[in-house]
Amino acid sequence: MNKLLVITVLVALLAVSAESFRMPRQAEEEQGTLTKITDSIRSYYDSAVNTASGYLENLKGMKLEEKAKNLYADTTTVVSTYAGIAQDQLYHTFYHK
């Protein structure tokens, strides 16, 4: 009984190891013109997308959006201050008592 079990296990291991030694077939296919054109267009597109993504990451790293928001906030503060001064001057010019 034990010999039968050992032989069964050895045959199973041999079958599993023989299965792992199979080499996949490598069929040599000649690419057609349309396939070559499609592959080259796809590679150019992927390259362009990767480059644009890199540029966007660089811009995010510079924190330009935050700088633009700060510039807008500072500009509106200054403009509203000078607009208030101009409004007061015009009011006192026209309604001087």
Side-chain angles (χ1 to χ4, degrees):
M1 180 75 176
N2 286 338
K3 289 182 183 181
L4 183 61
L5 182 63
V6 170
I7 291 173
T8 306
V9 170
L10 288 176
V11 169
L13 288 175
L14 181 64
V16 169
S17 63
E19 184 73 24
S20 66
F21 283 121
R22 279 191 182 172
M23 297 295 290
R25 284 191 222 169
Q26 296 179 353
E28 302 237 351
E29 295 180 14
E30 188 173 321
Q31 290 184 342
T33 306
L34 185 61
T35 306
K36 288 180 183 178
I37 291 172
T38 305
D39 289 343
S40 64
I41 289 172
R42 188 172 291 142
S43 69
Y44 286 132
Y45 175 76
D46 290 340
S47 174
V49 167
N50 289 338
T51 303
S53 297
Y55 287 150
L56 285 176
E57 290 300 321
N58 286 340
L59 289 176
K60 286 181 182 178
M62 292 182 194
K63 298 181 181 178
L64 290 178
E65 185 176 342
E66 183 180 331
K67 290 178 183 177
K69 286 179 183 178
N70 291 341
L71 179 65
Y72 175 76
D74 293 343
T75 303
T76 54
T77 302
V78 169
V79 167
S80 64
T81 301
Y82 284 112
I85 292 170
Q87 182 182 3
D88 287 345
Q89 292 296 322
L90 287 173
Y91 178 80
H92 287 295
T93 301
F94 290 119
Y95 298 107
H96 182 71
K97 286 187 179 184

